[in-house]
């Protein structure tokens, strides 16, 4: 379940991820298609490359991808080969916009039955690790380092 591991706000008793609840509710009467992940990560800088996800059809047929009210175009924005869904670099560049950190776009993968599968396009940057401790104490430091 990844980032949707805690589906309910226990204080308000409201669902945090309506898509997850829709998936659960839909499963009571039909099967829905999904993908190997609901996240596509793009680097903050540098080249954007094609990104692939494996479709879990669960007896359904893949119908296409949507971004808001716009249908993405098969062949230009994405390709499907067997169960492999690949988003093109051109489409990902457009969806990422100015590549601000976090979710830049929320896509919906449609299937012949069940509810759409949400795929978030997220910009990230590689974290830089550094020491959290000073090696030397400054004489004027009000909070000296122990030792």
């Amino acid at each position: 379940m990844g980032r949707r591991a805690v589906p309910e706000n226990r204080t308000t008793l409201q669902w945090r991820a309506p898509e997850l609840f829709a998936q659960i509710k839909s499963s009571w009467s039909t099967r829905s298609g999904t993908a190997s992940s609901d996240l596509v990560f793009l680097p903050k800088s540098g080249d954007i490359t094609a990104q692939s996800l494996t479709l879990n059809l669960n007896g359904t047929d893949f119908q296409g991808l949507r971004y808001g009210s716009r249908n993405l175009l098969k062949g230009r924005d994405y390709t499907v080969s067997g169960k492999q869904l690949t988003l093109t670099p051109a489409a990902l560049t457009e969806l990422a916009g100015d590549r601000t950190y976090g979710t830049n776009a929320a896509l919906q993968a449609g299937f012949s039955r069940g509810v759409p599968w949400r795929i978030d396009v997220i910009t990230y940057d590689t974290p830089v690790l550094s020491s959290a401790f000073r090696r030397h104490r400054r004489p004027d430091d009000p909070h000296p380092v122990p030792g």
Side-chain angles (χ1 to χ4, degrees):
M1 262 198 284
R3 66 191 160 92
R4 298 183 180 129
V6 181
E8 183 181 352
N9 181 324
R10 294 179 187 197
T11 304
T12 65
L13 300 178
Q14 297 295 312
W15 282 87
R16 294 179 191 203
E19 293 90 358
L20 175 60
F21 180 69
Q23 282 280 345
I24 293 168
K25 187 175 178 181
S26 174
S27 73
W28 299 336
S29 59
T30 190
R31 306 244 358 225
S32 295
T34 64
S36 55
S37 178
D38 58 358
L39 306 173
V40 172
F41 291 99
L42 305 177
K44 175 72 174 162
S45 60
D47 293 337
I48 292 179
T49 59
Q51 300 289 315
S52 296
L53 299 170
T54 302
L55 296 173
N56 303 314
L57 298 173
N58 296 325
T60 68
D61 295 316
F62 177 71
Q63 301 292 304
L65 283 176
R66 290 181 65 84
Y67 173 57
S69 61
R70 180 173 69 103
N71 290 323
L72 274 64
L73 298 177
K74 185 176 181 180
R76 186 189 81 176
D77 299 324
Y78 69 92
T79 61
V80 178
S81 178
K83 294 182 179 181
Q84 196 78 7
L85 169 65
T86 302
L87 294 157
T88 65
L92 289 169
T93 299
E94 181 182 339
L95 293 166
D98 63 0
R99 291 203 236 184
T100 56
Y101 291 115
T103 302
N104 298 128
L107 308 177
Q108 289 191 331
F111 297 89
S112 57
R113 289 191 314 280
V115 296
W117 180 254
R118 179 176 165 161
I119 302 169
D120 287 342
V121 178
I122 298 174
T123 295
Y124 75 94
D125 208 354
T126 304
V128 177
L129 301 177
S130 63
S131 175
F133 299 100
R134 293 189 308 272
R135 295 179 188 265
H136 303 288
R137 176 171 116 51
R138 294 188 326 248
D140 62 337
D141 190 349
H143 306 290
V145 177

